[in-house]
DNA sequence: TGGTCCTCAGTTTTT
DNA sequence: CTGAGGACCA
């Protein structure tokens, strides 16, 4: 390597004020390094020995196995600061990859703080995808694109695929575009071209046309000058493979490579990294990957834990550093988490420990509730109690397995007047009105963006229905021109009816005018003008529906958020990659989110509701993922527990409403995998009965608490047995215990209570043992009369609880 | 073209 | 039970 100034890139920073980076391994470098070791700079002083080693091992491959709360981000950022301040590389010579924009943003901030003075940029710190875009914009022509290609999001992709399926003369109902989009995504995650996909996969869709459709889709993307998210990884890989000279430029350029959350990389990302990390024999591969195999929870979307497990083979001579000293949680929380995760096989094996022990630290609490309503109520009460002891709501979080669980908490918090915020719900940029507006902007910047054209050509209504659009589409395809251009042509002919022609004429004129203003008018102003002149704003102003005002407000917000950008183009690029909008952090509120979105976060108090078989671990994970599915669920549980700093409260319920029907549930097997030494079973003052309090009968907890005798009540033991049985057929065994009785009615069908589908199907043909008008008793709702029967689903008018629908296994004739 | 009815499905999510 | 998406009719 001769240096950096002969690398022909123009966006790199000018000559540094700091010391010149000497050639690696040079005498000066070693002297400087020695000096730095003697006078350890500030930023190194707070590190523990393992962290310091991870930061200072700069030559050769390094794998940092960073357990939860062990200072992973700190190591990464300090390592970069160290590289910079020892003059080993310029910011532009460090490639640093994260998975989310948020992680990238945080790293930039923290590096800035560490280095003190302004570090220009870190132009190559970003997500795999944003770095992919950057590479592609420079070398687009090498993969058959123009550098102004557009990036399609999921919605665009689905619409495009739908068109392709229809164009093939296939029934798009039988072969849903969404499903195929998922398949393509899966293939791209694995780095597969149409030619490379497995024969079985190719046959599985559309009577064996899978491969053909995938190829057609790629062709279509190329004509549209567009990429989907997968292409942002695959195109650079293709480009590097077929242009070794270009790859070499980047080899010379990137002196250090860092990868965050390595356990989440998929095969394509892995190939990408391998390519960039290649070095001639004898040249050290300065790759540093940071991750935690125990926190790999994205297998279902293509992440390969294997990548991290295989690191030492992939990068010979790699140094592996484990960070196990935890700075986040109490010993009880760590003890519980460690014991749980130890049930997984195929781990690299870390055990977190902490040096702080405080006898006042609370153990992990396990609570039982009668049903999910009570669960929400009780959690709400706990939160209020903590609040009274002046704990901040911001320090509390409810982490659920599936988003439908959020609703009951939200309902409850609304009635309590408790502030909450839902993290991860539908996103700002995915809203209808925002996407419409964006389509207008896209088409102004990108006249060839047919998907944008089709989206808004008749929004607001301009009398341009399906027929017109199809005519335009065919016209454009036949001549291989964009649809907007086709529209321009076609209005000069008499191919359209006068009404459509007029409408189209106006649209074309509008866009031509806006395009003309692109360079001269400030972009926020132009954006507003576009929305007004197109009639889009008016469309919502005239809309009387309840959402309309909100939508208008969102449009204003959209314009406002554009102010931070220099141009419409810059804004569009940002949005296509960064779909998140910032949350209001000033409000003190409880966070509600899924376990998946909680990864990387921490809270003083964490509530983990819904620890029941079938929900957590999720039935589908077990059915589809088998053993590895179960292990991933267990890692998810591990992630959940390790989010907590001081208090971790786990809940399970006996009855949960699934698809509108009340079903009885069994405690999660994960509860049994917690160590009793670090866990307390919460004894609650209040009745677990909920409705039962009023005298409909006793809650099962009045008689038997499943936690008595260290989790060894007969019911629970039996539940354990049933679960571990390979055959799911022995549901007949039962005793007088309440748990059993609820789930498997005396003479009811032999069906699994957790799995709603099985229950529903297995009985649909059998005649019901009940008839309308029967007087029945239900454990939760008490007495009532049957008013309707559908298969095994009963509609019952309860005396006190009102009308409910329940499964027949839950009630008895009186 | 717009609204209403019906059917169907129903984990997790980033880019 | 809910929400989405499609079919169907005015």
């Amino acid at each position: 390597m001769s240096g950096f100034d002969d690398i022909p890139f123009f966006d790199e920073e000018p000559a540094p004020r700091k010391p010149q980076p000497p050639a690696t391994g040079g005498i000066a470098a070693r002297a400087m390094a020695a000096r730095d070791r003697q006078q350890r700079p500030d930023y190194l002083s707070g590190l523990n020995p393992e962290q310091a080693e991870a930061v200072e091992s700069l030559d050769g491959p390094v794998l940092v196995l960073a357990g939860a709360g062990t200072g992973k981000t700190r190591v990464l950022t300090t390592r970069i600061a160290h590289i910079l301040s020892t003059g080993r590389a310029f910011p532009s010579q460090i490639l640093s990859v994260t998975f989310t924009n948020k992680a990238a943003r945080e790293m930039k901030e923290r590096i800035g703080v560490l280095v003190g003075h302004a570090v220009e940029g870190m132009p190559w710190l970003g997500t795999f995808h944003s770095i992919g875009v950057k590479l592609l914009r420079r070398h687009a022509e090498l993969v058959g694109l123009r550098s102004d290609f557009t990036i399609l999001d999921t919605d665009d992709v689905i619409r495009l695929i739908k068109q392709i399926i229809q164009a093939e003369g296939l029934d798009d109902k039988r072969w849903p575009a969404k499903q195929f989009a998922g398949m393509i995504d899966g293939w791209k995650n694995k780095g597969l071209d149409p030619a490379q996909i497995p024969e079985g996969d190719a046959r599985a869709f559309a009577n064996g046309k899978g491969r053909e459709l995938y190829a057609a889709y790629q062709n279509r993307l190329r004509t549209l000058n567009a990429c989907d998210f997968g292409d942002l990884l695959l195109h650079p890989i293709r480009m590097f493979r077929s242009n070794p000279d270009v790859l070499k430029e980047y080899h010379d350029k990137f002196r250090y490579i860092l990868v965050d959350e390595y356990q989440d990389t998929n095969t394509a990302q892995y190939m990408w990294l391998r390519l960039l990390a290649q070095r001639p024999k004898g040249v050290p591969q300065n790759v540093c990957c940071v991750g935690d195999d125990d926190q790999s929870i994205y297998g279902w979307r293509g992440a390969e834990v294997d990548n991290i497990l295989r690191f030492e083979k992939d990068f010979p001579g790699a140094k592996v550093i484990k960070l196990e000293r935890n700075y986040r949680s109490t010993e009880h929380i760590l003890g519980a988490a460690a014991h749980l995760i130890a049930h997984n096989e195929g781990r690299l094996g870390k055990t977190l420990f902490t040096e702080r022990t405080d006898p006042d630290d609370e153990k992990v609490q396990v609570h039982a509730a009668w049903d999910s309503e009570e669960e929400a109520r009780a959690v709400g009460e706990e939160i209020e109690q903590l609040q009274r002891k002046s704990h901040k709501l911001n320090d509390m979080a409810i982490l659920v397995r599936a988003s439908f669980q959020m609703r009951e908490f939200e309902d409850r918090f609304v009635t309590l007047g408790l502030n909450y915020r839902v993290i991860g719900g539908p996103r700002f940029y995915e809203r209808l009105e925002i996407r419409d507006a964006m389509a207008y902007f896209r088409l102004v910047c990108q006249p060839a963006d047919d998907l944008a054209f089709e989206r808004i050509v008749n929004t607001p209504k301009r009398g341009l229905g399906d027929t017109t659009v199809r005519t335009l589409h065919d016209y454009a395809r036949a001549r291989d021109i964009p649809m907007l251009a086709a529209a321009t042509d076609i209005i000069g002919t008499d191919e359209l009816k006068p009404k459509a022609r007029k409408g189209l004429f106006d649209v074309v004129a509008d866009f031509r005018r806006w395009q003309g203003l692109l360079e001269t008018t400030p972009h926020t102003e132009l954006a507003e003008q576009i929305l007004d002149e197109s009639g889009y704003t008016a469309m919502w102003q005239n809309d009387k529906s309840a959402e309309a005002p909100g939508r208008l407000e969102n449009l204003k917000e959209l314009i406002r958020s554009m102010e931070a950008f220099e141009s419409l183009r810059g804004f569009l690029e940002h949005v296509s990659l960064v779909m998140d909008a910032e949350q209001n952090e000033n409000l003190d509120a409880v966070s509600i989110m899924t376990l998946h979105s909680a990864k990387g976060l921490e809270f003083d108090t964490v509530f983990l509701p819904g620890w029941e078989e079938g929900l957590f671990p999720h039935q589908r994970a077990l059915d589809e993922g088998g053993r590895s599915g179960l292990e991933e669920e267990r890692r998810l549980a591990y992630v959940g527990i390790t989010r907590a700093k001081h208090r971790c409260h786990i809940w399970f319920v006996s009855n949960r409403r699934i698809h509108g029907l009340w079903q009885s549930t069994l405690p999660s097997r994960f509860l049994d995998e917690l160590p009793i030494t670090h866990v307390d079973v919460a004894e609650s003052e209040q009745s677990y009965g909920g409705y039962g309090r009023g005298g409909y009968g006793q809650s099962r907890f009045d008689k038997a608490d499943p936690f008595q005798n260290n989790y060894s009540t007969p019911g629970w033991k039996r539940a354990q047995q049933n679960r571990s049985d390979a055959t799911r057929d022995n549901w007949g065994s039962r005793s007088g215990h309440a748990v059993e009785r609820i789930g498997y009615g005396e003479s009811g069908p032999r069906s699994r209570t957790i799995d709603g589908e099985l229950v529903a199907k297995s009985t649909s043909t059998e005649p019901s043992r009940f008839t309308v008008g029967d007087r029945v008793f239900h454990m939760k709702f008490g007495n009532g009369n049957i008013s309707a029967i559908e298969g095994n689903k009963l509609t019952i008018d309860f005396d006190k609880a009102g009308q409910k629908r329940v499964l027949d296994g839950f009630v008895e004739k009186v």
Side-chain angles (χ1 to χ4, degrees):
Chain A
M1 264 191 280
S2 60
F4 44 88
D5 46 12
D6 53 350
I7 297 169
F9 295 136
F10 26 82
D11 70 346
E12 319 299 73
E13 78 292 330
R17 293 161 302 192
K18 296 292 276 183
Q20 292 289 316
T24 5
I27 291 172
R30 272 185 273 160
M32 274 160 58
R35 176 200 65 196
D36 291 340
R37 267 195 299 280
Q38 277 165 12
Q39 280 182 294
R40 290 170 65 85
D42 278 356
Y43 57 81
L44 289 176
S45 58
L47 302 176
N48 68 38
E50 302 80 46
Q51 290 175 329
E53 195 187 0
V55 166
E56 296 181 276
S57 303
L58 294 181
D59 299 311
V62 178
L63 175 64
V64 182
L65 289 171
T70 55
K72 177 195 70 162
T73 310
R74 177 152 194 213
V75 163
L76 270 175
T77 51
T78 311
R79 188 180 164 96
I80 291 173
H82 189 56
I83 292 169
L84 293 175
S85 69
T86 51
R88 290 254 199 157
F90 288 121
S92 62
Q93 293 171 318
I94 302 174
L95 172 65
S96 183
V97 208
T98 64
F99 272 82
T100 62
N101 292 297
K102 192 173 157 221
R105 217 181 305 135
E106 270 171 26
M107 275 185 61
K108 282 192 182 175
E109 276 165 24
R110 288 176 66 167
I111 293 167
V113 171
L114 281 176
V115 179
H117 59 92
V119 175
E120 280 306 312
M122 287 295 295
W124 299 96
L125 190 165
T127 61
F128 278 100
H129 297 267
S130 65
I131 290 169
V133 174
K134 196 159 183 167
L135 292 169
L136 277 183
R137 294 262 184 242
R138 291 182 169 188
H139 306 287
E141 73 290 351
L142 296 178
V143 291
L145 290 167
R146 280 177 279 115
S147 76
D148 61 347
F149 62 85
T150 37
I151 302 162
L152 305 186
D153 66 24
T154 324
D155 202 74
D156 295 325
V157 167
I158 290 171
R159 285 189 299 138
L160 187 55
I161 291 176
K162 193 166 182 174
Q163 288 176 7
I164 290 167
I165 289 175
Q166 286 166 342
E168 288 284 320
L170 293 160
D171 179 2
D172 66 306
K173 270 188 71 185
R174 178 127 186 263
W175 306 108
K178 210 170 164 186
Q179 190 193 338
F180 195 62
M183 292 175 74
I184 291 182
D185 202 50
W187 292 325
K188 290 194 172 179
N189 284 158
K190 289 193 165 68
L192 301 174
D193 284 339
Q196 297 169 316
I197 63 171
E199 193 55 32
D201 281 15
R203 290 186 178 285
F205 196 82
N207 310 320
K209 286 194 170 173
R211 195 187 306 278
E212 233 176 296
L213 288 173
Y214 181 12
Y217 169 71
Q218 287 307 118
N219 278 334
R220 195 76 187 100
L221 286 182
R222 179 150 326 170
T223 37
L224 285 171
N225 190 34
C227 276
D228 63 15
F229 284 121
D231 287 340
L232 298 181
L233 293 170
L234 292 192
H235 281 322
I237 292 174
R238 280 180 207 123
M239 174 191 77
F240 285 142
R241 286 195 176 148
S242 45
N243 300 276
D245 51 320
V246 177
L247 180 57
K248 171 125 197 338
E249 285 176 28
Y250 289 94
H251 285 164
D252 292 345
K253 177 178 182 56
F254 296 134
R255 297 188 170 194
Y256 293 93
I257 300 177
L258 296 92
V259 184
D260 192 12
E261 305 279 17
Y262 191 56
Q263 78 283 349
D264 288 338
T265 46
N266 61 34
T267 305
Q269 286 156 338
Y270 170 79
M271 297 191 310
W272 188 95
L273 176 68
R274 287 300 299 266
L275 277 167
L276 281 165
Q278 278 172 10
R279 289 295 180 276
K281 270 219 164 70
V283 178
Q285 291 179 289
N286 296 334
V287 177
C288 175
C289 292
V290 181
D292 181 358
D293 50 320
D294 290 333
Q295 291 188 69
S296 159
I297 55 175
Y298 286 112
W300 51 273
R301 68 175 199 209
E304 293 280 345
V305 208
D306 235 36
N307 292 346
I308 196 169
L309 302 178
R310 237 185 19 235
F311 188 86
E312 290 179 84
K313 285 198 194 102
D314 289 339
F315 297 96
K319 185 186 266 190
V320 178
I321 300 167
K322 288 186 186 179
L323 305 182
E324 298 171 293
R325 190 181 308 244
N326 177 289
Y327 297 97
R328 178 185 294 158
S329 312
T330 66
E331 56 175 330
H332 292 308
I333 289 165
L334 292 180
H339 197 266
L340 175 83
I341 200 64
H343 289 80
N344 273 4
E345 287 173 7
R347 307 169 55 219
L348 291 169
K350 293 180 283 19
T351 308
L352 298 180
F353 66 94
T354 177
E355 274 161 15
R356 81 172 167 217
T357 54
D358 183 341
D360 289 341
D361 280 346
E362 170 187 298
K363 292 185 176 184
V364 170
Q365 307 252 343
V366 175
H367 304 255
W370 176 250
D371 64 16
S372 44
E373 285 167 21
E374 186 189 291
E375 181 183 57
R377 207 178 314 136
V379 168
E381 264 163 45
E382 281 199 67
I383 290 172
E384 287 187 319
Q385 259 175 42
L386 286 169
Q387 209 180 7
R388 265 176 247 128
K389 291 186 226 157
S390 64
H391 291 265
K392 285 256 169 297
L393 295 179
N394 276 338
D395 295 331
M396 307 178 206
I398 297 169
L399 311 182
V400 298
R401 175 60 182 80
S403 41
F404 76 83
Q405 293 172 262
M406 294 179 180
R407 179 132 168 203
E408 265 163 319
F409 289 98
E410 291 191 61
D411 287 350
R412 188 65 198 149
F413 294 169
V414 168
T415 45
L416 290 176
L418 208 58
N419 291 335
Y420 69 88
R421 88 185 110 226
V422 172
I423 314 254
R427 320 246 215 96
F428 184 73
Y429 290 109
E430 282 167 9
R431 289 165 206 225
L432 176 88
E433 66 278 15
I434 301 301
R435 298 185 47 85
D436 285 342
M438 298 292 292
Y440 272 99
F441 305 154
R442 270 163 60 185
L443 194 54
V444 171
C445 293
Q446 271 289 344
D449 194 334
D450 284 0
L451 288 160
F453 180 88
E454 285 181 56
R455 183 176 182 103
I456 48 80
V457 68
N458 199 30
T459 309
K461 300 277 176 286
R462 301 183 176 96
L464 301 166
D466 280 355
T467 340
T468 316
V469 173
R470 193 155 313 127
T471 313
L472 267 175
H473 197 262
D474 294 346
Y475 188 97
R477 291 289 285 271
R479 286 164 187 73
D480 202 21
I481 55 172
M483 288 178 76
L484 186 58
T488 317
D489 284 3
I490 220 165
I491 49 177
T493 72
D494 53 3
E495 223 168 303
L496 295 176
K497 295 204 174 105
K499 195 172 132 210
R501 204 164 138 189
K502 172 73 172 75
L504 202 55
F505 182 85
D506 290 345
V507 174
V508 170
D510 279 345
F511 274 98
R512 192 169 286 169
R513 188 174 65 256
W514 296 327
Q515 275 158 19
L517 295 171
L518 198 52
E519 305 303 327
T520 51
T521 314
H523 62 290
T524 49
E525 216 170 282
L526 177 60
E528 251 182 302
Q529 197 178 332
I530 292 171
L531 294 184
D532 288 344
E533 293 178 0
S534 62
Y536 192 74
T537 318
M539 178 180 101
W540 289 116
Q541 280 163 349
N542 298 332
D543 189 310
K544 298 173 294 295
S545 69
E547 310 94 74
R551 295 194 194 273
L552 285 164
E553 191 47 48
N554 287 338
L555 290 171
K556 275 188 204 145
E557 177 61 36
L558 178 70
I559 305 280
R560 236 172 293 153
S561 66
M562 292 173 66
E563 283 166 13
F565 294 83
E566 280 182 10
S567 67
L568 207 49
R569 273 206 180 82
F571 178 68
L572 291 176
E573 174 100 356
H574 170 82
V575 171
S576 62
L577 291 171
V578 183
M579 296 289 284
D580 58 348
E582 264 104 89
Q583 289 256 357
N584 177 9
E585 309 239 320
N586 300 323
L587 182 74
D588 189 37
V590 185
S591 298
I592 305 178
M593 67 189 96
T594 63
L595 287 160
H596 283 93
S597 24
K599 195 168 77 153
L601 305 178
E602 58 177 30
F603 299 91
D604 211 46
T605 305
V606 165
F607 296 95
L608 303 170
W611 281 43
E612 296 117 36
E613 283 295 299
L615 176 59
F616 193 34
H618 199 280
Q619 193 58 46
R620 229 161 133 171
L622 301 179
D623 292 346
E624 286 164 25
R627 189 191 168 80
S628 66
L630 172 63
E631 295 210 342
E632 186 156 307
E633 295 286 292
R634 193 178 279 117
R635 291 193 290 268
L636 204 46
Y638 175 81
V639 167
I641 296 171
T642 54
R643 297 310 94 197
K645 293 203 257 190
H646 288 105
R647 276 168 297 279
C648 176
H649 292 194
I650 301 173
W651 286 79
F652 71 91
V653 306
S654 309
N655 295 283
R656 189 172 288 279
R657 198 158 56 177
I658 299 168
H659 307 335
L661 295 168
W662 284 98
Q663 296 184 223
S664 115
T665 50
L666 300 172
S668 170
R669 70 191 72 188
F670 297 149
L671 291 168
D672 295 306
E673 297 173 356
L674 298 173
I676 195 68
T677 42
H678 294 294
V679 174
D680 264 342
V681 174
E683 297 292 341
S684 174
E685 288 301 308
Q686 70 187 106
S687 156
Y688 282 114
Y691 288 90
R693 228 177 313 199
Y696 304 94
Q698 287 175 307
S699 143
R700 74 182 235 228
F701 296 103
D702 295 342
K703 290 182 198 150
D705 183 317
F707 283 103
Q708 271 172 7
N709 313 324
N710 301 337
Y711 310 173
S712 56
T713 53
W716 207 349
K717 271 191 175 164
R718 214 167 20 254
Q720 285 294 107
Q721 248 170 27
N722 284 345
R723 276 183 234 133
S724 53
D725 279 344
T727 61
R728 293 230 170 106
D729 273 335
N730 62 338
W731 299 99
S733 75
R734 63 181 82 88
S735 73
H737 194 269
V739 178
E740 253 51 33
R741 224 184 311 127
I742 299 164
Y744 322 117
E746 280 301 319
S747 52
R750 292 179 4 151
S751 58
R752 191 131 198 240
T753 49
I754 304 168
D755 189 332
E757 210 181 359
L758 194 51
V759 171
K761 279 181 191 155
S762 64
T763 54
S764 54
T765 51
E766 295 171 33
S768 174
R769 64 197 165 97
F770 295 100
T771 41
V772 172
D774 278 359
R775 182 86 178 147
V776 292
F777 171 76
H778 184 274
M779 283 296 287
K780 180 179 173 186
F781 303 121
N783 290 313
N785 298 312
I786 298 181
S787 62
I789 301 175
E790 286 169 70
N792 61 341
K793 295 166 198 162
L794 309 177
T795 306
I796 302 172
D797 292 320
F798 288 103
D799 302 348
K800 307 216 169 132
Q803 194 179 73
K804 304 272 175 191
R805 299 219 316 156
V806 296
L807 288 178
D808 61 4
F810 296 88
V811 299
E812 292 163 22
K813 284 189 204 180
V814 191

